[in-house]
Amino acid sequence: MRGIGLLITVCLYSCQSQDLIYVSTQNASGIKTGTPVVISGLPIGTVSTIELENRTVWLGLAIDPEFPIGDEADFIASTLSFSGAKTIVINNSQEGSPLQNGDTLHKSMLRQQPIFTDLDSAKVDTLKQQLLKTGEAIINLLKDH
């Protein structure tokens, strides 16, 4: 009997419900089911569904209900690394009225964030200079042969 109780407890813990919130975008490039959703770097959910309706892409975001999200929050598709992996970043998460399970934001909320925004301009300039020098070295090698 104790084993059955433990099994039920484990199932209840692992089967915690998530709120499903729908946001729209015109460009879902690089987003797929399983793409993480984060607030302040903390993972709070994933993209669970992707549907195309006319020219609008609707993303179903499965969110941990412990993290309330307001209807004025910004949803940003951000590139995490050179590999192109995406994540959905929620900014100003508490702004506006709290979203409930199944709510749909009818205005296009998701926007694409420029790639590698966590790099400052000095690092980007240094990287550009290194790439230019590498390119010049390759051209010189090709000229010699």
Side-chain angles (χ1 to χ4, degrees):
M1 214 34 140
R2 190 179 293 177
I4 293 174
L6 180 62
L7 183 61
I8 291 171
T9 302
V10 169
C11 182
L12 288 174
Y13 180 76
S14 65
C15 301
Q16 289 179 346
S17 67
Q18 291 186 312
D19 289 341
L20 194 59
I21 297 169
Y22 296 94
V23 296
S24 66
T25 183
Q26 299 299 314
N27 180 2
S29 176
I31 299 171
K32 56 187 176 187
T33 57
T35 295
V37 178
V38 301
I39 293 177
S40 300
L42 184 67
I44 62 156
T46 60
V47 174
S48 64
T49 63
I50 302 173
E51 297 176 22
L52 181 63
E53 182 180 297
N54 297 325
R55 293 177 187 234
T56 301
V57 179
W58 288 95
L59 303 175
L61 308 180
I63 306 291
D64 185 331
E66 286 186 43
F67 297 92
I69 298 170
D71 62 1
E72 295 296 322
D74 294 322
F75 292 78
I76 303 163
S78 181
T79 304
L80 291 177
S81 66
F82 287 112
S83 70
K86 296 275 186 168
T87 190
I88 306 298
V89 177
I90 302 175
N91 289 331
N92 306 317
S93 61
Q94 304 269 332
E95 298 293 319
S97 301
L99 294 169
Q100 303 298 318
N101 186 33
D103 279 354
T104 299
L105 296 173
H106 291 285
K107 58 184 177 176
S108 182
M109 293 292 290
L110 188 66
R111 61 186 171 87
Q112 298 286 328
Q113 185 173 28
I115 297 175
F116 311 119
T117 57
D118 58 335
L119 296 176
D120 63 31
S121 61
K123 289 180 183 176
V124 171
D125 288 340
T126 301
L127 181 60
K128 285 181 359 185
Q129 291 299 324
Q130 290 173 344
L131 288 172
L132 286 172
K133 287 179 183 176
T134 302
E136 289 171 0
I138 291 171
I139 289 171
N140 288 334
L141 282 173
L142 292 174
K143 284 181 183 177
D144 292 339
H145 292 293

